[in-house]
Amino acid sequence: MDKFVIQGGTPLVGFIPTSGAKNSALPVLAAALLTADEVVLRRIPRVRDIRTMVRLLVDIGSDINVNGETVTLKTPKIVSPEAPYELVKTMRASSLVLGPLVARAGRARVSLPGGCGIGARPINYHLSGLERLGAVITQDHGYIEAAAPNGLRGAHIVFDRITVTGTEDILMAATLARGETVIENAAREPEVVDLANLLVKMGAKLEGAGTSTIRVQGVTELHGADHEIIADRIEAGTFVIAGLMTGGALNITGCIPEHLGALTAKLTQAGARISQPDSTTLRVEPSGTLRAIDMSTEEYPGFATDLQAQYMAIMTQANGISIVTETIFENRFMHAQELQRMGANIRLDGRKAIIAGKSQLSGAGVIASDLRASASLVLAALVARGETVIDRVYHIDRGYERIEAKLSAVGAQIQRVE
Ligand code: EPU
């Protein structure tokens, strides 16, 4: 298992590029199942979750060619409408094939995900949405079977709670359902909009993506398309924090600054100097010691839960007490204990973390527990005194493309060792 060895204390300076968004890439890859034609997807990040999704789609029946960041898919026929436990347990987003499979093949068999490092993460809203669209759902041996042999029909779906992949799953299914579907309390994340843009290119009729009500007029068939996905706002946000924490002058290029509004607003309030030299770049400059500012995660356009761990890392370096509240997942504070081992002063109280700063962090052996938790440990290590060894970096490889190469190119002392 690979580890990162990091020597803290060097400011990050220069230009660091942003990759395509993992959480856009996953649903758009699944969307290719909706047509027999060729779908070309560009700027797909080379991360482990994407390789897992590609494996799943190949098993289902897609012919796939991966050429750098361009993935070309063609699925003349659904050979096996199934997502097995071995894949679903490593990547919950496998459930994104559920909607497209039922819509295209009239049948899907997908393993139930079970719990994971950050919470229970059930898929009940995906299932009740599909039921509303007319699918019959049964459960057996840990698998969900969804069947709609005569096709899906449009329906009015109100999500009890905002769900990102749930919205994406139902949106994809609805494109091929008979008649109109209205999805209310839909997720408004930029990744949902990106998926909707691809679906429209494929011939889907829909409006309202990016708002909480999406309307879809079902069509009988979708066709091929060519689509470049959006920049990864979580990766870009992680780099913004890295630049600030190390006191560097760092330009995060190829990003979409509007997608990072909640983060940059909080950091600016804390005293960070962040500017936008052009429409796709964010620049951070040495800002002195920041002030502690409370933060609560929310669905988009609120503060992303996927940046909570990284925000906690920077708050250990801010003066004063900040309270970070996690409202989306029930168990997403695993990084707190590891940050404490590096000298952070953090107390957990249910869904709140109380951080007292500024702490001098010192290098230690730590363990990455999930994707974003690992990112927060990398950030802490970049400012810690001495050497930090982060174990189980396969977690970070799920969603960050060559993070060690990108960070060393702007001055970080980070090495991957086997
Ligand atoms: N939930 C249910 N039932 C459902 C669906 C969700 O109870 O059927 C709950 C979840 O357990 C959670 C909340 O609703 O407490 C929100 O979950 P959501 O469905 O929005 O999460 P997701 O779609 O599974 C996506 C991202 C996550 C990101 C969350 C929240 C992808 C592939 N994954 O997950 O990304 O944290 O939205 O923004 O888009 C990551 O990239 O590190 C990551 C975990």
Side-chain angles (χ1 to χ4, degrees):
M1 259 186 284
D2 290 2
K3 296 180 182 169
F4 281 158
V5 179
I6 301 173
Q7 305 286 342
T10 2
L12 303 187
V13 175
F15 295 81
I16 190 164
T18 313
S19 296
K22 169 190 76 100
N23 289 347
S24 264
L26 291 168
V28 300
L29 283 164
L33 292 175
L34 290 163
T35 176
D37 292 352
E38 185 171 278
V39 176
V40 181
L41 299 171
R42 301 178 194 275
R43 206 181 179 184
I44 300 295
R46 285 161 286 190
V47 298
R48 203 159 57 96
D49 273 7
I50 299 305
R51 289 193 289 276
T52 307
M53 184 57 108
V54 164
R55 253 174 64 203
L56 173 59
L57 296 180
V58 167
D59 286 354
I60 289 172
S62 305
D63 298 324
I64 303 187
N65 182 310
V66 180
N67 182 4
E69 295 184 338
T70 303
V71 179
T72 306
L73 306 92
K74 195 167 162 56
T75 316
K77 191 168 166 287
I78 303 292
V79 177
S80 160
E82 180 163 323
Y85 180 58
E86 293 66 48
L87 292 183
V88 178
K89 75 173 185 220
T90 62
M91 189 183 71
R92 239 134 276 273
S94 309
S95 53
L96 280 167
V97 300
L98 194 52
L101 285 177
V102 186
R104 168 104 184 266
R107 194 172 94 77
R109 188 165 178 270
V110 172
S111 166
L112 274 170
C116 85
I118 61 177
R121 303 189 74 183
I123 57 164
N124 54 313
Y125 302 139
H126 302 227
L127 300 179
S128 53
L130 284 174
E131 262 175 341
R132 297 278 306 158
L133 293 174
V136 175
I137 309 276
T138 49
Q139 185 184 335
D140 207 4
H141 304 296
Y143 277 75
I144 292 292
E145 284 250 7
N150 302 316
L152 297 169
R153 50 175 159 66
H156 190 173
I157 293 162
V158 184
F159 282 119
D160 288 342
R161 178 175 181 175
I162 296 175
T163 159
V164 177
T165 51
T167 301
E168 293 163 347
D169 222 354
I170 297 306
L171 174 59
M172 289 188 277
T175 58
L176 291 179
R178 275 190 307 281
E180 184 181 66
T181 298
V182 180
I183 307 173
E184 287 196 72
N185 203 24
R188 292 178 286 165
E189 267 64 4
E191 294 75 18
V192 174
V193 178
D194 203 18
L195 169 66
N197 288 341
L198 167 68
L199 292 171
V200 168
K201 285 184 189 169
M202 292 170 72
K205 292 203 162 54
L206 64 96
E207 58 183 36
T211 75
S212 30
T213 305
I214 305 178
R215 285 174 192 277
V216 187
Q217 303 292 338
V219 294
T220 49
E221 222 174 51
L222 294 179
H223 52 73
D226 189 319
H227 183 71
E228 177 174 310
I229 66 166
I230 57 172
D232 197 312
R233 61 196 166 100
I234 307 301
E235 185 197 30
T238 304
F239 294 154
V240 166
I241 293 176
L244 288 170
M245 280 179 81
T246 60
L250 191 63
N251 297 278
I252 297 92
T253 61
C255 67
I256 305 173
E258 306 88 83
H259 291 171
L260 286 150
L263 174 73
T264 51
K266 278 285 165 203
L267 293 172
T268 305
Q269 215 185 331
R273 290 174 60 202
I274 306 177
S275 57
Q276 194 187 314
D278 62 54
S279 63
T280 57
T281 306
L282 278 171
R283 175 173 170 77
V284 303
E285 278 166 281
S287 312
T289 302
L290 302 184
R291 289 183 290 280
I293 299 286
D294 295 349
M295 181 280 281
S296 179
T297 60
E298 275 168 35
E299 293 89 357
Y300 191 84
F303 195 104
T305 171
D306 291 345
L307 283 168
Q308 177 259 107
Q310 301 88 318
Y311 187 80
M312 193 184 291
I314 196 170
M315 281 299 114
T316 69
Q317 300 306 295
N319 272 336
I321 294 187
S322 52
I323 301 178
V324 167
T325 309
E326 173 56 58
T327 70
I328 309 291
F329 291 109
E330 63 268 31
N331 185 28
R332 208 175 198 181
F333 280 148
M334 308 271 271
H335 42 283
Q337 285 113 11
E338 299 301 298
L339 291 172
Q340 278 167 331
R341 300 195 56 252
M342 298 178 71
N345 183 345
I346 304 172
R347 189 165 62 80
L348 295 183
D349 179 9
R351 291 191 166 214
K352 290 189 189 308
I354 299 113
I355 304 132
K358 171 182 183 174
S359 304
Q360 167 67 62
L361 301 181
S362 62
V366 290
I367 295 186
S369 56
D370 72 68
L371 169 56
R372 309 304 173 184
S374 330
S376 78
L377 298 179
V378 170
L379 294 171
L382 290 175
V383 295
R385 217 178 337 104
E387 181 176 285
T388 299
V389 179
I390 306 180
D391 202 355
R392 302 200 189 158
V393 298
Y394 59 84
H395 284 294
I396 208 162
D397 293 334
R398 289 187 56 180
Y400 288 88
E401 181 174 315
R402 300 179 300 112
I403 191 168
E404 74 278 21
K406 288 192 185 187
L407 290 173
S408 16
V410 289
Q413 297 190 43
I414 173 169
Q415 260 190 313
R416 180 185 289 262
V417 295
E418 291 215 345

